[in-house]
Amino acid sequence: MDIFTLAAFTVAYAIAVLVPGPGVAAVVARALGGGFKGAFPMVLGILAGDLVYFVFAVFGLAAIAHWFGPIFVIVRWAGAAYLLYIAWKFWTAKPGAEQMKPKNEDPWRTFLAGFSLTMGNPKTIVFYLAILPTVIPLDQMNPVTFIELTAIVVVVLLLIGCGYAWLASAAREMFKSEKALGRLNKTAGAMMATAAGLVVLQH
């Protein structure tokens, strides 16, 4: 595929990822509460969800995504419930304890939270199943183009997602007192709860 089309897709996708939404709010909240390491599995989960929708769009599976809508609703509610659980853990954590990271936090569960969040995120659905076909001529798709576009999705999302996580984690390191950490912890909990609310309320 020509450079102009790839560049157009890169710009459109970067803007879609940069715009704050449930995913950004969840990643920032996770980084505020548990640092970069705690947020990275969520970034990977969001990436996995994006790749699923990308494959749906590329191989003409929009109709399947439409017919399996009720399943995505269930996934969205399950993801929102887990985000609320994390929010509660942050809100009630003891200031200064393990830098506010919930005990025994399983990276896989954080990954699945990010994945389910993306699978139920209307912004992601609209981009891949409605906007993507207007930017990329899917009828001209071939193995090389598929690899190129997949690489763009992976690199752009990881850079932006990890950028948000790093900035939030760096901001957290500026606060060392238990009182300040306690406020950050509650901020993380509030943001995570907000992300859960956005997931449920968006249609």
Side-chain angles (χ1 to χ4, degrees):
M1 189 162 288
D2 64 273
I3 297 297
F4 178 80
T5 302
L6 291 176
F9 171 73
T10 302
V11 172
Y13 183 64
I15 292 173
V17 176
L18 275 169
V19 173
V24 170
V27 168
V28 170
R30 195 68 189 80
L32 284 175
F36 181 84
K37 185 177 179 180
F40 186 64
M42 182 165 285
V43 174
L44 292 180
I46 292 173
L47 172 60
D50 269 54
L51 289 176
V52 168
Y53 275 121
F54 174 66
V55 171
F56 276 5
V58 168
F59 291 100
L61 300 181
I64 293 179
H66 174 74
W67 285 108
F68 282 84
I71 294 179
F72 292 151
V73 171
I74 294 173
V75 170
R76 182 169 74 239
W77 279 86
Y82 183 63
L83 291 179
L84 284 175
Y85 167 75
I86 297 177
W88 177 78
K89 294 289 287 184
F90 283 151
W91 191 271
T92 59
K94 181 180 178 181
E98 297 182 354
Q99 289 192 317
M100 290 334 157
K101 183 177 180 180
K103 294 180 180 180
N104 301 320
E105 182 65 27
D106 183 0
W108 259 113
R109 292 171 68 180
T110 303
F111 172 89
L112 291 176
F115 179 77
S116 62
L117 187 155
T118 301
M119 294 303 293
N121 186 356
K123 186 181 78 170
T124 306
I125 296 171
V126 169
F127 178 82
Y128 282 109
L129 302 186
I131 298 178
L132 175 62
T134 68
V135 179
I136 299 295
L138 297 178
D139 58 330
Q140 300 178 18
M141 187 65 60
N142 57 57
V144 174
T145 300
F146 178 77
I147 293 173
E148 290 173 339
L149 295 177
T150 300
I152 290 173
V153 169
V154 172
V155 172
V156 170
L157 195 144
L158 284 180
L159 284 177
I160 296 176
C162 289
Y164 272 117
W166 181 81
L167 288 173
S169 178
R172 175 185 179 78
E173 293 302 316
M174 295 171 61
F175 300 87
K176 297 298 184 182
S177 71
E178 287 193 2
K179 185 176 181 180
L181 285 175
R183 289 175 178 173
L184 268 182
N185 204 50
K186 284 183 168 50
T187 298
M191 290 185 66
M192 194 68 77
T194 300
L198 290 173
V199 169
V200 172
L201 293 176
Q202 291 192 71
H203 299 287

